[in-house]
């Protein structure tokens, strides 16, 4: 849908209407059809939203949940990853959920923010000592959450000041004091 | 009925036909229409109009559903095209789908294609270095292929001619091995690249680091404004199509210019099956196409035919154009058609880092890189391999974020990017030697969806290429070491030929009709009204990105063709 919206706004910029050409539909149909088929249940989506929010929480700036990072993860998993990676991820979510219920007597979603952070920190400590094949879930989850966050409009535009049209190149630009290492 | 037929033939008759609308086809169209010839351009793909058919050009990175990554289903269905660096979510609609255009790989060859009006001129890397006589004299001096029938002086004015129109930025470096041209202001080397340039200059006699000459309008002139093109805005999103016409493409430049003359007819969705040869007239009379959609066969006629289908498809068309006079392909008396195909060797890379210049970084973006002209075996043979390589060189200073922690701590880390050291990198552009055994041929049985024989590729690396890769890695590593770069790593991707997208030869130019297909004007020795001015004409490959040379050869050949037509010699 985003692509259609973008095409529409492009049409406004160009001062005319643009019909979606046949080839674009051809590339698009695959994307749309696969996207309508989420890998996880609504409950698991809500769980994932709280997990990414715990990894990168709202502070005085938006957190990962507000930026839709959980939806980004599901889109990427669905469209860009092998079945095996998808299964590992869904299994990992399930397993995390069950572990939390067993130790806390409630779901991750109903835990306090402090408990959630504690759970994920413990998980990361375990991931650090286990070989990757024993713990494929957490490192992937953290990395793709960071990827989704850094590539979000908010972070690219507001923090990293992405410019679509820089109109310049300066090959010897002084580093401002604040950006120095 | 007779009248109807006559009318129908008349409606399908032009003064010239150009096969292909990419970089060289666009130039043929511009030159021929400009000289008053009613010109038909046949393009096998769909129409792509400048700006209006660049659907992703104004998108921000976050507006791409997969942030630029191509969905797995598409990469799995298109393994060949997926290996091309520019096949990303923002530009994948400008590439063909593998399964729709099959071919046979006797040896691995990644054939990268863009079937649309403008062809790969939308996607090219836009580097535009001139050849010198060190390149044109290569085969004769080193004893391979055949002697080029032209020298630098023959093409120099045509380089100037196309550079002025296309708009080439560059610095006048005064190097005999890389002649200066008609340049718009150069793009800038950054401080680490300048530092490397100075280091190389002080430590080597004949090695140079320059800013690459490239087809970007750094300061548009009247001729560019007349084309409706404006200044390059440093977006470096070129492969999406440029809404400003900031870089040269057929779509932004030559094709609309040709259309303005009123002499241009564009025919997209026209898959050329063959060139029609008339035994009685002793020349080519037209082109037979298959409509890509309806599959209908249609013939078009003209007294001049320019073949600009891109090197490999030009070979296919010529091989498939058989007649009683030319049973082995059009103009193929010599038997060399489809042979001596070569490419550029892009396998090797060297990278490293530099710990200096920590008070500086770069700002904005730059659509090109540094360039190291060939320094091996230029003035004399000095290694155990023939010819040499040019190299790309660039430095940049990336940002990184610590990924430590979770929660607010991680977030703080991600929002506080730091500057790393400068990183430096180089890639190889090696000349390969055209060999009789490097061939394109027609499969006797397999056909594509349009009933056209599939091509068989038998093109590979040889011992000379292996030695050259080794030398490149050693020499560039040495240069990096002498410049004080650290963490130097070398790599050889072993990638198949083709990913360089610089395929050349198969219908080479030469002095002798017994050993070549085309004469010094890109005119077929044996079929005087057919001209081949794309990569297929190349006798050898040199190390320069070839498109500028195709443009110059095309303009030159069109000038000659029209002159000959007026003298009634065609």
């Amino acid at each position: 849908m985003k692509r259609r919206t973008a095409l529409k706004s492009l049409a406004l910029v160009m001062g005319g209407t643009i019909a979606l050409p046949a080839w674009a539909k051809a590339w698009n149909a695959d994307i749309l059809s696969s996207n309508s088929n989420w890998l996880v249940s609504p409950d698991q989506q809500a769980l994932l939203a709280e997990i990414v929010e715990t990894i990168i929480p709202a502070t005085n700036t938006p957190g990962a949940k507000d930026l839709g990072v959980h939806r980004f993860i599901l889109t990427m998993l669905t469209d860009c990853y092998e079945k095996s990676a998808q299964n590992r991820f869904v299994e990992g979510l399930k397993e995390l959920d069950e572990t939390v219920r067993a130790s806390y007597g409630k779901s991750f979603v109903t835990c306090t923010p402090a408990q959630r952070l504690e759970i994920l920190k413990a998980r990361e400590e375990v991931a650090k000592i286990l070989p990757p094949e024993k713990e494929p879930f957490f490192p992937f989850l953290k990395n793709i959450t960071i990827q989704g966050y850094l590539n979000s409009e908010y972070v690219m535009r507001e923090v990293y000041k992405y410019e679509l049209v820089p109109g310049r190149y300066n090959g010897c630009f002084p580093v401002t004091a604040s950006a120095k290492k | 009925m007779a009248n109807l037929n006559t009318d129908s033939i008349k409606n399908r008759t032009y003064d010239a036909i150009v096969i292909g609308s990419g970089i060289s086809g666009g130039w043929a169209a511009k030159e021929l229409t400009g000289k008053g010839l009613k010109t038909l351009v046949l393009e096998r793909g769909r129409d792509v109009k400048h700006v209006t058919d660049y659907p992703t050009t104004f998108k921000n990175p976050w507006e791409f559903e997969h942030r630029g990554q191509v969905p797995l289903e598409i990469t799995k269905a298109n393994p060949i095209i997926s290996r091309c660096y520019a096949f990303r979510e923002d530009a994948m609609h400008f590439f063909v789908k593998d399964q729709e255009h099959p071919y046979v790989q006797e040896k691995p060859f990644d054939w990268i294609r863009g079937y649309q009006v403008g062809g790969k001129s939308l996607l090219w890397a836009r580097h535009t270095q001139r050849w010198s006589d060190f390149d044109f004299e290569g085969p004769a001096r080193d004893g391979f292929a055949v002697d080029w029938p032209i020298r630098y002086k023959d093409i120099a004015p045509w380089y100037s001619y196309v550079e002025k129109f296309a708009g080439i930025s560059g610095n006048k470096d005064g190097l005999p091995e890389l002649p200066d041209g008609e340049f718009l202001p150069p793009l800038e080397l950054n401080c680490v690249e300048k530092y490397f340039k100075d280091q190389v200059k002080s430590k080597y006699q004949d090695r140079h680091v320059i800013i690459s000459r490239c087809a970007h309008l750094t300061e548009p002139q009247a001729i560019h404004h007349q084309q409706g093109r404006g200044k390059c805005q440093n977006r470096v999103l070129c492969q999406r199509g440029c809404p400003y016409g900031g870089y040269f493409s057929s779509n932004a430049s030559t094709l609309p210019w040709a259309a303005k003359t009123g002499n241009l007819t564009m025919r997209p969705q026209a898959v050329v099956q063959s060139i029609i040869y008339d035994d009685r007239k002793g020349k080519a009379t037209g082109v037979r196409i298959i409509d890509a959609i309806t599959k209908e066969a249609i013939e078009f006629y003209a007294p001049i035919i320019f073949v600009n289908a891109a090197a490999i498809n030009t070979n296919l068309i010529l091989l498939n154009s058989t007649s009683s006079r030319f049973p082995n392909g059009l103009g193929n008396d010599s038997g060399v058609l489809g042979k001596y195909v070569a490419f550029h060797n892009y396998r090797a890379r060297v990278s490293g880092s530099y710990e200096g210049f920590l008070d500086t970084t770069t700002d904005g973006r730059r659509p090109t890189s540094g360039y190291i002209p060939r320094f091996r075996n230029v003035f004399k043979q000095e290694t155990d391999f023939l010819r040499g390589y040019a190299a790309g060189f660039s430095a940049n200073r990336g940002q990184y974020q610590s990924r430590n922690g979770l929660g607010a701590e991680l977030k703080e880390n991600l929002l506080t990017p730091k500057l790393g050291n400068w990183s430096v990198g180089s890639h190889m552009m090696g000349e390969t030697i055209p060999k009789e055994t490097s061939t394109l041929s027609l499969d006797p049985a397999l056909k594509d969806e349009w009933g056209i024989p599939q091509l068989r590729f038998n093109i590979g690396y040889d011992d000379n290429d292996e030695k050259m890769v080794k030398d490149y890695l050693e020499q560039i590593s040495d240069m990096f070491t002498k410049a004080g770069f650290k963490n130097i790593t070398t790599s050889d991707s072993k990638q198949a030929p083709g990913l360089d997208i610089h395929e050349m030869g198969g219908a080479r130019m030469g002095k002798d009709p017994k050993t070549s297909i085309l004469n010094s004007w890109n005119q077929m020795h044996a079929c005087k009204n057919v001209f081949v001015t794309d990569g297929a004409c190349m006798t050898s490959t040199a190390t320069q990105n070839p498109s500028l040379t195709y443009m110059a050869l095309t303009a030159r050949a069109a000038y000659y063709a029209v002159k000959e037509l007026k003298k009634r010699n065609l």
Side-chain angles (χ1 to χ4, degrees):
Chain A
M1 285 319 279
K2 267 188 181 166
R3 183 187 187 111
R4 283 169 197 277
T5 317
L7 278 169
K8 247 188 247 163
S9 55
L10 175 66
L12 287 177
V13 172
M14 302 308 303
T17 49
I18 297 175
L20 203 61
W23 54 265
K25 276 186 201 140
W27 285 114
N28 235 6
D30 301 339
I31 296 165
L32 291 176
S33 63
S34 59
N35 265 3
S36 57
N37 190 10
W38 286 124
L39 293 166
V40 297
S41 68
D43 279 355
Q44 285 173 318
Q45 283 179 49
L47 169 64
L48 183 59
E50 294 311 324
I51 292 174
V52 301
E53 181 64 13
T54 307
I55 296 173
I56 303 173
T59 49
N60 55 346
T61 62
K65 185 166 89 170
D66 290 340
L67 298 177
V69 171
H70 53 300
R71 285 195 296 276
F72 167 77
I73 293 173
L74 291 173
T75 301
M76 292 301 283
L77 262 182
T78 309
D79 295 343
C80 300
Y81 285 85
E82 296 281 0
K83 196 89 205 143
S84 54
Q86 296 174 353
N87 291 343
R88 270 200 303 275
F89 188 81
V90 177
E91 282 307 309
L93 264 187
K94 238 188 251 171
E95 190 263 338
L96 178 80
D97 187 42
E98 283 160 12
T99 312
V100 172
R101 283 175 199 276
S103 2
Y104 288 80
K106 53 183 175 178
S107 71
F108 185 88
V109 176
T110 51
C111 284
T112 66
Q115 287 172 325
R116 292 179 198 166
L117 189 58
E118 181 183 283
I119 292 164
L120 293 188
K121 278 189 169 166
R123 195 60 197 246
E124 184 167 47
E125 288 312 309
V126 174
K128 274 180 192 161
I129 46 176
L130 286 180
E133 65 275 10
K134 293 265 190 233
E135 170 53 320
F137 174 67
F138 192 83
F140 177 84
L141 169 70
K142 183 174 173 181
N143 277 333
I144 199 167
T145 301
I146 292 172
Q147 186 195 351
Y149 178 70
L150 291 178
N151 284 296
S152 68
E153 177 174 358
Y154 176 81
V155 174
M156 287 199 83
R157 203 197 278 280
E158 303 300 325
V159 182
Y160 286 86
K161 311 290 179 200
Y162 176 81
E163 294 170 278
L164 188 62
V165 187
R168 67 184 186 287
Y169 178 74
N170 186 330
C172 278
F173 192 72
V175 173
T176 56
S178 63
K180 272 188 190 173
K181 339 197 252 184
Chain B
M1 206 54 203
N3 277 343
L4 267 179
N5 273 339
T6 317
D7 275 357
S8 165
I9 288 170
K10 215 171 120 192
N11 290 340
R12 286 179 285 124
T13 302
Y14 297 82
D15 298 330
I17 295 174
V18 178
I19 302 171
S21 64
I23 284 226
S24 68
W27 266 99
K30 173 190 170 288
E31 293 305 302
L32 296 170
T33 56
K35 293 189 189 308
L37 271 60
K38 296 284 178 196
T39 303
L40 173 70
V41 174
L42 298 170
E43 166 52 54
R44 67 170 300 154
R46 65 189 170 89
D47 194 13
V48 171
K49 289 266 189 308
H50 184 46
V51 189
T52 44
D53 289 328
Y54 304 157
T56 58
T57 195
F58 290 113
K59 281 186 150 195
N60 284 297
W62 54 85
E63 292 175 288
F64 291 93
E65 201 170 9
H66 307 96
R67 303 295 190 270
Q69 197 172 326
V70 176
L72 194 64
E73 204 179 338
I74 296 173
T75 49
K76 278 188 167 171
N78 300 280
I80 297 166
I81 212 78
S82 295
R83 287 196 275 274
C84 176
Y85 67 97
F87 186 76
R88 302 268 300 150
E89 195 173 22
D90 63 343
M92 60 186 179
H93 48 275
F94 289 143
F95 292 87
V96 302
K97 295 177 184 168
D98 291 354
Q99 73 273 26
E100 290 177 7
H101 302 284
Y103 59 97
V104 182
Q105 301 179 58
E106 291 175 23
K107 287 182 188 158
F109 191 97
D110 291 328
W111 189 12
I112 306 302
R113 291 160 285 173
Y115 290 168
Q116 61 252 327
V117 168
K120 298 192 295 293
S121 77
L122 287 166
L123 299 163
W124 67 311
R126 311 168 307 283
H127 291 257
T128 44
Q129 334 294 343
R130 288 187 178 199
W131 282 38
S132 76
D133 273 338
F134 296 110
D135 303 300
F136 286 111
E137 288 172 358
R141 188 193 81 176
D142 293 347
F144 64 93
V146 289
D147 189 14
W148 274 90
I150 58 169
R151 288 294 182 268
Y152 181 67
K153 66 173 169 37
D154 300 305
I155 196 174
W158 295 100
Y159 273 137
S160 292
Y161 179 78
V162 298
E163 281 166 347
K164 283 181 200 159
F165 187 83
I168 304 298
S169 84
N171 183 52
K172 289 199 186 282
D173 298 296
L175 306 175
E177 67 273 38
L178 203 76
D180 293 332
E182 311 290 331
F183 294 148
L184 303 173
L187 291 157
E188 183 192 345
L189 289 173
N190 63 41
C191 26
V192 171
E193 292 163 349
K194 278 182 197 150
Y195 162 79
F196 185 58
K197 176 191 175 86
D198 294 342
Q199 289 289 308
V200 168
K201 194 173 181 180
S202 70
K203 284 163 184 151
Y204 296 88
Q205 225 179 349
D206 294 319
R207 301 189 187 185
H208 307 278
V209 180
I210 63 169
I211 185 74
S212 189
R213 290 90 187 250
C214 63
H216 284 262
L217 298 182
T218 48
E219 197 177 286
Q221 305 296 301
I223 186 67
H224 308 122
H225 291 307
Q226 286 161 29
Q227 297 167 39
R229 298 171 56 201
K231 191 172 188 271
C232 168
Q233 295 298 315
N234 302 64
R235 302 189 335 147
V236 198
L237 301 172
C238 312
Q239 69 283 357
R240 300 179 184 180
C242 182
Y244 316 102
Y247 73 91
F248 174 85
S249 66
S250 298
N251 311 64
S253 180
T254 45
L255 291 176
W257 192 267
K260 266 199 293 191
T261 64
N263 295 325
L264 175 72
T265 304
M266 275 297 313
R267 175 59 161 87
Q269 310 287 11
V271 182
V272 170
Q273 196 251 11
S274 59
I275 294 164
I276 304 159
Y277 183 81
D278 187 317
D279 285 317
R280 199 172 41 84
K281 291 181 180 160
K283 59 184 178 183
T285 52
V287 177
R288 193 175 293 114
I289 70 145
I290 311 294
D291 186 288
I293 309 292
T294 66
K295 311 278 160 75
E296 183 192 3
I298 308 169
E299 293 184 352
F300 295 101
Y301 309 100
I304 295 183
I305 295 160
F306 267 66
V307 193
N308 300 86
I312 290 169
N313 272 323
T314 286
N315 276 279
L316 170 55
I317 291 167
L318 297 177
L319 287 165
N320 202 38
S321 301
T322 52
S323 55
S324 56
R325 167 72 182 81
F326 293 112
N328 300 314
L330 187 65
N332 192 16
D333 289 343
S334 59
V336 301
L337 182 63
K339 297 177 181 171
Y340 299 97
V341 179
F343 57 97
H344 281 156
N345 180 352
Y346 269 56
R347 274 168 37 186
R349 284 175 184 275
V350 181
S351 58
S353 62
Y354 187 58
E355 288 163 12
F357 292 99
L358 294 178
D359 287 340
T360 58
T361 183
T362 63
D363 170 55
R365 294 194 290 272
R366 183 184 64 182
T368 192
S369 68
Y371 184 87
I372 303 170
R374 174 164 74 99
F375 52 80
R376 276 305 202 198
N377 304 323
V378 177
F379 302 103
K380 61 177 196 310
Q381 182 63 35
E382 59 196 3
T383 67
D384 66 344
F385 58 86
L386 291 180
R387 314 310 293 162
Y389 44 83
F393 173 73
S394 58
N396 68 79
R397 198 165 180 204
Q399 288 183 322
Y400 71 95
Q401 311 85 1
S402 160
R403 297 182 160 219
N404 290 334
L406 281 175
E409 181 197 355
L410 171 63
K411 190 179 182 188
E412 185 55 29
N413 284 334
L414 296 177
L415 295 180
T416 321
K418 296 184 174 68
L419 283 167
N421 282 327
W422 286 84
S423 57
V424 293
S426 167
H427 72 275
M428 169 192 189
M429 298 176 268
E431 177 164 357
T432 71
I433 306 296
K435 299 179 289 280
E436 189 176 10
T437 48
S438 291
T439 61
L440 294 166
S441 57
L442 301 183
D443 190 279
L446 295 171
K447 297 206 152 95
D448 70 10
E449 199 185 319
W450 298 272
I452 293 167
Q454 289 185 25
L455 269 177
R456 300 181 70 87
F457 286 66
N458 190 342
I459 299 161
Y461 295 105
D462 59 24
D463 190 45
N464 200 64
D465 300 319
E466 300 299 333
K467 285 179 179 159
M468 204 187 285
V469 165
K470 190 165 165 280
D471 188 70
Y472 164 86
L473 293 173
E474 286 168 4
Q475 294 306 315
I476 300 292
S477 297
D478 265 7
M479 289 158 74
F480 277 19
T481 305
K482 287 189 174 134
F485 296 161
K486 299 276 161 48
N487 306 314
I488 297 168
T489 57
T490 62
S491 65
D492 175 358
S493 70
K494 309 259 180 190
Q495 68 186 37
L499 273 190
D500 44 293
I501 329 184
H502 287 178
E503 50 270 5
M504 289 176 247
R508 69 184 178 192
M509 295 168 73
K511 291 170 181 161
D512 186 350
K514 290 195 194 71
T515 55
S516 60
I517 303 292
L518 308 169
N519 69 15
S520 63
W521 294 98
N522 294 72
Q523 177 184 35
M524 276 196 163
H525 290 300
C527 185
K528 298 285 185 201
N529 65 334
V530 174
F531 293 80
V532 177
T533 68
D534 62 13
C537 77
M538 302 296 274
T539 309
S540 65
T541 71
T543 53
Q544 292 86 335
N545 309 64
S547 297
L548 181 73
T549 299
Y550 305 161
M551 297 190 217
L553 287 174
T554 303
R556 182 174 175 270
Y559 158 81
Y560 176 79
V562 174
K563 208 172 69 176
E564 288 295 290
L565 184 74
K566 290 194 172 144
K567 285 198 241 162
R568 301 183 182 281
N569 285 343
L570 297 184

